[in-house]
Amino acid sequence: MKKVGIYQQKWNTSYDSQHLLGLIAQILSERNEVEFISHDSSLNQERMGKAMGADLSRTSVRLVDSPDWTQNNSSFSLKSAREFCQEISAPYEVFLNASNDLPIFCNAKNGILLTEFPGCDFDVFFEHNSLGWKNTGFIKRFFRKRKEALIWSCRLSSYQKHWCFSDFTRQWCGKKWQISPKILPLVRGFDLEKMEKKPLIVVLGKFSEENLDRHDLLINAFQDFVDKMISRLGLSPDWKMLILGECDGAEKNLEFVERLREKAYGYPIEIIVNPDQEKVRVSLAEALFLWNAKGYETNEFQPECQEHIGIKILKAQNAGVIPIVFHAGCVSEVIRHGMNGFLWSKYREMIDFTSAIMVEERILPILGQGAFENAKKYDENMLRKTLSEEVKNVLEVTSRESE
């Protein structure tokens, strides 16, 4: 039995990536000793298992002191940084760091960097756009950049393997970090019992003031659908929209939710904050469509605002839901347009695709089955097989087929 450490400096990334990280921990803990490393004393095994939607009963949590240096502090010596990171990573035979920022140094024999999306590049990380940098003389800039380049290189090269969850992320890791991670297979999520479909549109996302999931736009689209399309096309008047999302409880984000509720007033739109997994399961089992607008009104220079992981789409497809998704980020890696979902680029297309499918009801079961068949390809055993290959001769990973 080998010892594995799983570390996140900030436990605040999206639910999708946390769910996959939890599943990886669950799989590794079946044959190895897995320990989560945290700076947050409020985190415990039960809370993390619930948040990640995984069985973490065989794992444990180790609390370590927070670093007394900031990530962007290039003046902190390389030696001091290495010494601090020694305490965090050295006790493990495999150290898995889930980080979207430039990672800490890895002192374990086997280091793995898992990235949802690279959150910075060299100039951003070292604050080269700051006033202090601009006021620094040329000679000082030159030598400081040489030191920063060493720190940058040492941090990334201290990991033997790099992983991510989509080709979209892999490409941006190459552009921002000059690495090419291995893409781990996605998992379709929970299996669902067959339920009768209802005239329901589901939205999955995150409630935050930044509004990356464009909930306001989706509410506008549904209001247009109700006002202009239902009566014109003779559709059922019982259409509803259900918006399910996580919210961290910050005041500004709660105020954002209240503004959405005000915007949706008078329409059959229900907004549920931090739903449990059973509510998500039932909602997807009953829904006909998944709407997603993340990335709308962004461009190629704003990849951080687009979809990085296609799990929510796979979850919907696994329930026979037809995804109608804005064409940005990684979504085209999961959706084949017109066969198991639809990719839209203009606002009206989201409404038009939905309306056209409902007019031609005979294609509903065909598209729903196509979505379901696509999700079936993303089996948990694919992830197990890839993990087994990646940690061969280091850790034991079993597939369900062999159990």
Side-chain angles (χ1 to χ4, degrees):
M1 181 175 285
K2 303 289 182 69
K3 193 168 185 179
V4 181
I6 298 180
Y7 174 74
Q8 275 187 311
Q9 188 161 328
K10 302 175 184 177
W11 292 85
N12 60 355
T13 52
S14 70
Y15 172 78
D16 291 343
S17 63
Q18 293 289 56
H19 173 67
L20 285 169
L21 180 62
L23 184 56
I24 290 170
Q26 174 184 317
I27 292 170
L28 294 180
S29 68
E30 292 170 357
R31 294 289 184 273
N32 306 278
E33 182 183 348
V34 174
E35 192 169 67
F36 285 96
I37 310 150
S38 173
H39 301 303
D40 185 352
S41 59
S42 67
L43 284 179
N44 54 49
Q45 182 190 67
E46 181 181 356
R47 179 184 167 191
M48 287 195 298
K50 184 176 180 181
M52 293 179 171
D55 177 11
L56 302 182
S57 59
R58 292 179 294 273
T59 68
S60 58
V61 179
R62 172 187 167 217
L63 184 65
V64 298
D65 293 333
S66 297
D68 56 1
W69 47 281
T70 64
Q71 284 189 315
N72 294 348
N73 188 358
S74 60
S75 64
F76 195 85
S77 75
L78 201 59
K79 180 181 177 182
S80 299
R82 280 189 177 280
E83 288 174 351
F84 175 82
C85 299
Q86 176 86 13
E87 178 189 356
I88 294 178
S89 59
Y92 306 99
E93 287 163 283
V94 174
F95 179 71
L96 195 162
N97 184 0
S99 176
N100 294 331
D101 294 314
L102 190 65
I104 67 169
F105 293 101
C106 175
N107 297 95
K109 184 177 180 180
N110 300 282
I112 301 170
L113 176 62
L114 176 61
T115 306
E116 177 188 349
F117 189 82
C120 63
D121 57 25
F122 183 84
D123 290 326
V124 170
F125 184 82
F126 290 111
E127 298 181 330
H128 290 167
N129 294 321
S130 66
L131 183 61
W133 173 259
K134 292 176 181 177
N135 291 334
T136 302
F138 173 78
I139 300 299
K140 286 186 177 180
R141 282 195 200 184
F142 174 78
F143 285 105
R144 181 172 155 186
K145 264 198 168 184
R146 289 189 64 179
K147 177 184 176 182
E148 290 169 348
L150 178 61
I151 294 172
W152 180 272
S153 174
C154 286
R155 285 199 184 195
L156 287 170
S157 62
S158 65
Y159 293 83
Q160 288 72 41
K161 292 185 179 293
H162 302 104
W163 295 348
C164 68
F165 295 119
S166 68
D167 186 56
F168 177 73
T169 295
R170 184 188 64 78
Q171 291 180 34
W172 279 99
C173 281
K175 292 176 182 178
K176 290 190 171 189
W177 289 359
Q178 292 75 54
I179 62 173
S180 183
K182 169 77 175 181
I183 302 173
L184 297 185
L186 298 178
V187 178
R188 64 176 180 259
F190 35 65
D191 291 322
L192 297 161
E193 296 180 5
K194 292 287 185 181
M195 297 181 69
E196 182 182 354
K197 292 293 184 180
K198 299 179 179 180
L200 174 66
I201 296 171
V202 165
V203 175
L204 301 177
K206 182 178 181 179
F207 295 117
S208 68
E209 188 181 40
E210 291 80 10
N211 194 22
L212 296 181
D213 287 297
R214 294 309 307 268
H215 291 108
D216 58 335
L217 180 85
L218 296 172
I219 290 174
N220 284 341
F222 183 75
Q223 290 170 336
D224 283 349
F225 179 69
V226 170
D227 293 341
K228 300 175 183 178
M229 305 304 291
I230 288 181
S231 59
R232 183 189 303 175
L233 300 175
L235 304 179
S236 168
D238 299 326
W239 277 91
K240 296 181 180 179
M241 171 179 270
L242 183 58
I243 304 177
L244 307 169
E246 313 117 47
C247 182
D248 62 9
E251 184 176 351
K252 62 179 182 179
N253 296 331
L254 293 175
E255 290 175 354
F256 170 73
V257 174
E258 290 307 309
R259 291 198 298 271
L260 290 179
R261 288 199 169 106
E262 291 174 6
K263 185 178 184 64
Y265 182 78
Y267 287 83
I269 300 174
E270 185 178 4
I271 297 173
I272 300 180
V273 177
N274 295 326
D276 58 35
Q277 289 305 295
E278 184 60 26
K279 179 63 179 176
V280 177
R281 290 166 67 101
V282 172
S283 300
L284 289 175
E286 295 178 342
L288 279 170
F289 298 102
L290 172 82
W291 278 6
N292 189 303
K294 189 169 184 179
Y296 184 71
E297 293 184 329
T298 64
N299 56 48
E300 60 181 311
F301 303 109
Q302 299 171 291
E304 67 281 353
C305 300
Q306 301 170 7
E307 284 289 355
H308 309 141
I309 305 177
I311 292 183
K312 67 179 71 171
I313 299 170
L314 286 176
K315 280 184 179 178
Q317 289 180 329
N318 195 42
V321 178
I322 301 167
I324 300 180
V325 179
F326 181 67
H327 193 176
C330 74
V331 297
S332 60
E333 299 175 37
V334 180
I335 294 177
R336 294 185 67 187
H337 182 72
M339 299 185 68
N340 56 43
F342 292 87
L343 301 170
W344 59 272
S345 299
K346 298 179 181 178
Y347 170 78
R348 287 299 313 176
E349 290 178 339
M350 178 169 44
I351 303 170
D352 292 343
F353 284 143
T354 305
S355 303
I357 295 168
M358 293 313 303
V359 170
E360 294 289 337
E361 285 192 61
R362 61 186 175 81
I363 68 172
L364 257 178
I366 299 173
L367 289 169
Q369 186 63 28
F372 177 72
E373 291 297 327
N374 183 65
K376 281 176 63 177
K377 301 174 186 175
Y378 295 85
D379 184 74
E380 182 182 311
N381 220 44
M382 292 176 60
L383 177 60
R384 289 175 175 270
K385 182 179 179 182
T386 303
L387 287 176
S388 179
E389 293 171 352
E390 285 290 293
V391 297
K392 189 176 181 180
N393 301 323
V394 179
L395 299 176
E396 293 182 58
V397 178
T398 58
S399 67
R400 294 200 179 280
E401 294 174 345
S402 64
E403 291 178 348

